[in-house]
């Protein structure tokens, strides 16, 4: 199954047939494997861990699959394809990454859905490329092309980091937020509600959907003795969290996980302001799976605390898996749920 942008890319295969090809920010499909029928080498970098997991089983000697914010090598390609990101601030980063891995005069292709904002790409020029030309329009998607006119010698991550201090109930924390990661330069009402009602925690604690590391930093600022693990599905979020912890002199284990699948063992507490978007669509299945899996991952009397938008229908799922629903605080936008595992 191919996403509409991938279908549009394959429809224009004459542009890159026989060339070495790099896909950046690729989607959850098998397009990279299809491209191997046309190209001698395909590398694919996923910024979403579930996209990487879907493709990695199809890796071959000619198809190299990676997850992260950059590639582990400095190879250059004849064509680089960028899937237009949902978060527009991420585009400049992806374009510089593309320029870093393009051969001199190499071809940049940018594809995306109209509803994702790609119509504005022609106005979002980069110093690394010629002016973009629109080549195709189909399946509610657009395809643009440009030529590399200069190449960076290295990618300076610091250029794409926003630094700011954020007051929390546990004290001020320094945030290092990468381009494309959601984090306001003030404490959002949901996270503030969660941090204002934290119980005393102990032992091994999981921050699910860690984002830029706001909750992680606040937890460790209050209780530096905690053994904290931070998971997220997005590579830029994981990098942000690592940078935030380092900036505050704090330490935690930070790693990718699709839901709780990559976590090992049980936790004495699971804390989260869980994500409820998948790509461009709002969804509840991420949080619903998280709730179901949490009961299996908590120790006896383990604490489970999340904050969620009031309109999201979590109560039935929480009741089904924890046996009851405890709303310990709320405001006009959010509800704060806390349950304790009754595992014997």
């Amino acid at each position: 199954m191919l996403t509409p942008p991938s279908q549009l890319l394959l429809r224009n295969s004459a542009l890159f047939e026989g060339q070495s090809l790099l896909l950046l920010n690729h989607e959850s499909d098998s397009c990279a494997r299809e491209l191997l029928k046309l190209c001698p080498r395909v590398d694919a970098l996923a910024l979403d861990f579930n996209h990487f997991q879907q493709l990695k089983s199809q890796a071959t000697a000619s198809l190299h699959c990676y997850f992260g914010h950059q590639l582990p090598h400095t190879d250059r390609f004849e064509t680089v394809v960028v899937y237009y990101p949902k978060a527009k601030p991420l585009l400049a980063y992806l374009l510089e990454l593309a320029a870093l891995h393009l051969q001199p005069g190499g071809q940049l292709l940018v594809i995306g859905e109209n509803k994702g904002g790609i119509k504005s790409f022609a106005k979002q020029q980069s110093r690394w490329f010629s002016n973009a030309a629109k080549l195709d329009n189909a399946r509610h998607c657009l395809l643009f092309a440009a030529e590399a006119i200069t190449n960076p010698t290295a990618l300076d991550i610091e250029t794409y980091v926003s630094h700011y201090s954020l007051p929390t109930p546990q004290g001020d924390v320094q945030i290092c937020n990468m381009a494309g990661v959601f984090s306001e330069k003030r404490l959002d009402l949901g996270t503030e509600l969660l941090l204002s009602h934290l119980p005393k925690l102990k032992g091994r604690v999981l921050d699910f959907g860690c984002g830029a590391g706001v909750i992680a930093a606040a937890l460790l600022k209050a209780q530096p003795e905690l053994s904290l693990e931070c998971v997220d599905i997005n590579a830029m979020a994981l990098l942000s969290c690592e940078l935030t912890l380092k900036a505050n002199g704090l330490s935690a284990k930070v790693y990718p996980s699709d839901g709780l699948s990559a976590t090992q063992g049980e936790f004495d507490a699971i804390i989260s302001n869980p994500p409820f978007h998948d790509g461009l669509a709002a969804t509840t299945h991420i949080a619903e799976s998280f709730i179901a899996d949490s009961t299996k991952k908590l120790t006896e009397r383990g604490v489970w605390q999340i904050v969620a938008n009031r309109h999201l229908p979590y109560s039935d799922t929480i009741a089904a898996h924890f046996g009851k629903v405890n709303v310990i605080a709320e405001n006009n936008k959010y509800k704060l749920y806390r349950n304790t595992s009754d595992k014997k």
Side-chain angles (χ1 to χ4, degrees):
M1 188 74 176
L2 297 176
T3 63
S6 292
Q7 292 175 37
L8 183 60
L9 179 65
L10 286 171
R11 159 176 157 141
N12 288 273
S13 60
L15 293 170
F16 50 80
E17 187 170 357
Q19 298 183 6
S20 58
L21 192 68
L22 170 63
L23 302 180
L24 295 179
N25 192 37
H26 70 81
E27 299 187 333
S28 183
D29 64 14
S30 58
C31 183
R33 187 60 184 262
E34 293 296 316
L35 290 167
L36 274 184
K37 300 172 184 177
L38 305 164
C39 303
R41 175 183 175 180
V42 177
D43 279 32
L45 179 69
L47 273 62
D48 285 290
F49 191 57
N50 57 341
H51 297 176
F52 163 74
Q53 287 183 305
Q54 178 164 334
L55 189 61
K56 69 176 181 178
S57 62
Q58 303 176 43
T60 69
S62 301
L63 173 57
H64 310 103
C65 307
Y66 305 102
F67 167 77
H69 63 279
Q70 58 188 1
L71 293 167
H73 60 69
T74 57
D75 296 357
R76 293 182 181 267
F77 298 80
E78 292 168 275
T79 292
V80 174
V81 178
V82 171
Y83 283 78
Y84 193 85
K86 173 191 171 188
K88 286 187 180 180
L90 182 57
L91 179 64
Y93 177 88
L94 290 172
L95 291 178
E96 184 168 350
L97 187 59
L100 183 67
H101 287 283
L102 267 173
Q103 296 178 5
Q107 175 181 233
L108 170 74
L109 299 177
V110 180
I111 53 173
E113 296 186 60
N114 293 337
K115 65 181 180 181
I118 194 171
K119 289 181 179 180
S120 63
F121 175 65
K123 301 175 184 177
Q124 298 169 306
Q125 297 304 311
S126 165
R127 64 191 177 103
W128 309 112
F129 298 99
S130 63
N131 291 336
K134 185 170 74 175
L135 299 186
D136 200 0
N137 181 359
R139 296 172 176 81
H140 306 289
C141 299
L142 291 173
L143 169 67
F144 287 89
E147 179 183 337
I149 54 177
T150 186
N151 300 91
T153 55
L155 194 151
D156 183 8
I157 294 293
E158 186 59 33
T159 304
Y160 300 96
V161 182
S162 294
H163 297 268
Y164 50 93
S165 179
L166 204 60
T168 76
Q170 289 73 30
D172 289 354
V173 295
Q174 303 304 310
I175 303 301
C176 301
N177 193 48
M178 285 297 299
V181 180
F182 173 77
S183 182
E184 300 180 67
K185 293 186 178 180
R186 60 180 178 80
L187 195 60
D188 72 88
L189 293 176
T191 301
E192 182 178 21
L193 187 67
L194 182 143
L195 293 177
S196 296
H197 296 84
L198 277 178
K200 183 75 172 177
L201 302 174
K202 65 175 184 178
R204 191 170 178 233
V205 177
L206 178 69
D207 176 6
F208 172 76
C210 60
V214 177
I215 293 172
L219 283 171
L220 289 172
K221 193 171 185 68
Q223 293 188 254
E225 75 279 5
L226 294 176
S227 176
L228 184 66
E229 298 187 17
C230 306
V231 299
D232 204 288
I233 204 167
N234 181 265
M236 305 305 279
L238 292 168
L239 177 58
S240 296
C241 187
E242 290 174 350
L243 294 172
T244 291
L245 290 169
K246 183 179 180 181
N248 290 277
L250 303 169
S251 179
K253 182 179 179 182
V254 182
Y255 57 99
S257 184
D258 186 1
L260 300 182
S261 62
T263 62
Q264 301 293 318
E266 295 181 332
F267 296 91
D268 297 296
I270 298 175
I271 309 296
S272 182
N273 184 347
F276 59 96
H277 283 84
D278 184 6
L280 294 169
T283 180
T284 59
H285 84 270
I286 297 172
E288 288 170 354
S289 297
F290 164 63
I291 293 166
D293 292 341
S294 290
T295 57
K296 306 167 191 173
K297 287 287 184 176
L298 285 169
T299 58
E300 182 181 351
R301 307 302 299 165
V303 175
W304 182 84
Q305 181 164 310
I306 74 164
V307 64
N309 290 67
R310 295 183 63 92
H311 71 272
L312 296 174
Y314 291 161
S315 293
D316 289 347
T317 306
I318 293 172
H321 293 282
F322 281 96
K324 57 184 176 181
V325 180
N326 294 324
V327 178
I328 63 168
E330 57 186 300
N331 56 34
N332 61 350
K333 284 192 67 177
Y334 298 96
K335 288 185 177 182
L336 184 63
Y337 301 92
R338 182 193 297 162
N339 282 75
T340 303
S341 172
D342 60 0
K343 184 184 295 182
K344 301 297 183 184

